[in-house]
Amino acid sequence: MAKWTPKHEAPEPLEGPVVATITGGTIVWFVLFLAQLPFYGWYADHDRTWWLWTCLAGGGLGLIGIWYVRRRDAAIKRAAAGRATPAVIPFNE
């Protein structure tokens, strides 16, 4: 059996408003949780309470994601600022 090799190079990663995207997704998870909360009794009767907890877990993981992408975005901006300005070494004579 021949080893699989890709026929094309991998595309460049897409960059966009990552923080806004993750924040929007987190809000959607929490809204879904809150929208289903009044129907907890029905979910419990039909053994579907995991739907609520899935939405809550998605929102919680989204909060971690927001923290992560904000730190990543700040690090990328710091690195870009560091490359833009040349290093100045003070010289005292």
Side-chain angles (χ1 to χ4, degrees):
M1 191 153 117
K3 183 179 176 183
W4 180 83
T5 56
K7 296 180 181 176
H8 305 287
E9 289 186 28
E12 292 294 320
L14 297 175
E15 290 295 330
V18 180
V19 176
T21 303
I22 300 300
T23 302
T26 302
I27 290 169
V28 168
W29 279 115
F30 279 125
V31 166
L32 287 171
F33 172 74
L34 292 174
Q36 293 178 11
L37 200 55
F39 305 103
Y40 184 84
W42 185 88
Y43 289 123
D45 292 343
H46 293 89
D47 198 28
R48 299 279 192 266
T49 55
W50 63 270
W51 289 9
L52 278 87
W53 307 129
T54 299
C55 293
L56 188 60
L61 290 172
L63 291 176
I64 295 169
I66 291 169
W67 172 79
Y68 177 81
V69 296
R70 288 185 70 202
R71 286 185 50 138
R72 177 183 174 269
D73 197 37
I76 290 171
K77 287 179 183 174
R78 277 194 310 272
R83 282 186 304 235
T85 58
V88 177
I89 301 172
F91 182 74
N92 297 329
E93 293 182 13

